[in-house]
Amino acid sequence: MDDTLPLSNKPRRSSIRDFLNEDIREDLLLECELLLLSFATGIQDAAAWPDYSCFASNQTGNTLFLAIGVAGLTNNAYSFPNIGISLSLFVAGGFTMGQLGNYIGVRRRLWLLISNFIQTALIFTAVAIQYSFPIRRDGPAALAVIACLAFASGGQVAMSRSLKITEITTAMATAAFIDVVVDPCLGKLKNRLRNRRVMFLIMLTAGCFVGAFAQREISSTFPILLCAIGKALVSLAFLFNRPMAVRDLEGLKE
């Protein structure tokens, strides 16, 4: 009896293993997942700046403020220590999650689930810290929140860039604005790349507005919670992505 149990479970286990090891295909569902992450990023940065005077994802702004701080042109408009933590943890998150993705497989369903689960857990950790301690711009609690948000953001951008859907970065808007207006096929009815960029900008901007108004009307913690919920929904959605076709896999190998 005992010998038959592993045999009866083997097909099911193999099926689950195969499912998790599938490389997911580039399709509308994957685009929607990245757009939802873009929306969550907008919410997060809109909530981080008023409380901590730094960005969790927008590292262009942080780099500028870092240079101003190093030059001694400091003022109360931003927090030099918070910016340093955000920038360094963002890079650390991108490096760690990006290299792990390269090793495991950037399109493998298992890796996408693990990566997004880690990011989501970090955002929920930031929510728990904000809920447990008074929200102040400076201090250990503030640095812990920023570290969680920035590391998760770096991992998210590394994940999205590795998927090679470069029109949806999930975080940086500057290049997307220019790519839209210089597109030689801007006026064409069917233009998937333009549509991706435009939808990315819409979702990121909408997230910024939602985060700003949620912070003003409800609390500082609520928009971070919304961001965590959005990322959790994407984690769940990765279970429904279709696998790559054989011809797509052969194209990647080439």
Side-chain angles (χ1 to χ4, degrees), residues 35 167-168 176-177 179-181 183 186 191-205:
L35 289 173
E167 300 80 22
I168 308 175
F177 276 114
D179 287 341
V180 169
V181 298
D183 189 341
L186 178 61
N191 186 338
R192 190 172 185 180
L193 301 186
R194 174 207 57 203
N195 295 343
R196 283 176 173 176
R197 296 183 185 109
V198 171
M199 286 305 302
F200 160 63
L201 292 171
I202 290 173
M203 294 298 287
L204 184 68
T205 303

Side-chain angles (χ1 to χ4, degrees), residues 25 60 125 139-140 151-152 169 179 253:
R25 69 172 59 181
T60 302
T125 300
F151 191 95
T169 65
D179 287 341
K253 290 178 181 178

Side-chain angles (χ1 to χ4, degrees), residues 52 54-56 82 85-90 92-93 122-123 125-126 129 140-154:
Y52 304 113
C54 75
F55 299 106
N82 292 1
I85 288 294
S86 179
L87 182 57
S88 60
L89 266 294
F90 181 89
L122 287 169
I123 305 299
T125 300
I129 295 171
L143 293 178
V145 170
I146 295 165
C148 289
L149 297 180
F151 191 95
S153 296

Side-chain angles (χ1 to χ4, degrees), residues 57-75:
S57 301
N58 181 13
Q59 298 303 326
T60 302
N62 282 343
T63 303
L64 172 62
F65 290 133
L66 181 68
I68 292 173
V70 171
L73 304 175
T74 56
N75 56 52

Side-chain angles (χ1 to χ4, degrees), residues 7 23 34 54 81 102 114 157-158 161 164 176-177 251:
L7 292 176
D23 285 331
L34 294 179
C54 75
N102 291 336
I114 292 173
V157 174
R161 298 295 285 179
K164 305 301 183 184
F177 276 114

Side-chain angles (χ1 to χ4, degrees), residues 132-230:
S132 303
F133 298 93
I135 298 176
R136 298 189 178 94
R137 191 184 77 164
D138 303 304
L143 293 178
V145 170
I146 295 165
C148 289
L149 297 180
F151 191 95
S153 296
Q156 174 185 299
V157 174
M159 181 186 74
S160 65
R161 298 295 285 179
S162 297
L163 290 171
K164 305 301 183 184
I165 304 181
T166 56
E167 300 80 22
I168 308 175
T169 65
T170 74
M172 292 76 70
T174 305
F177 276 114
I178 299 301
D179 287 341
V180 169
V181 298
V182 303
D183 189 341
C185 302
L186 178 61
K188 286 189 176 181
L189 183 62
K190 293 184 178 180
N191 186 338
R192 190 172 185 180
L193 301 186
R194 174 207 57 203
N195 295 343
R196 283 176 173 176
R197 296 183 185 109
V198 171
M199 286 305 302
F200 160 63
L201 292 171
I202 290 173
M203 294 298 287
L204 184 68
T205 303
C208 290
F209 276 92
V210 169
F213 280 94
Q215 172 141 354
R216 189 188 74 176
E217 300 297 331
I218 302 177
S219 70
S220 297
T221 304
F222 184 68
I224 304 298
L225 177 61
L226 287 179
C227 175
I229 292 172

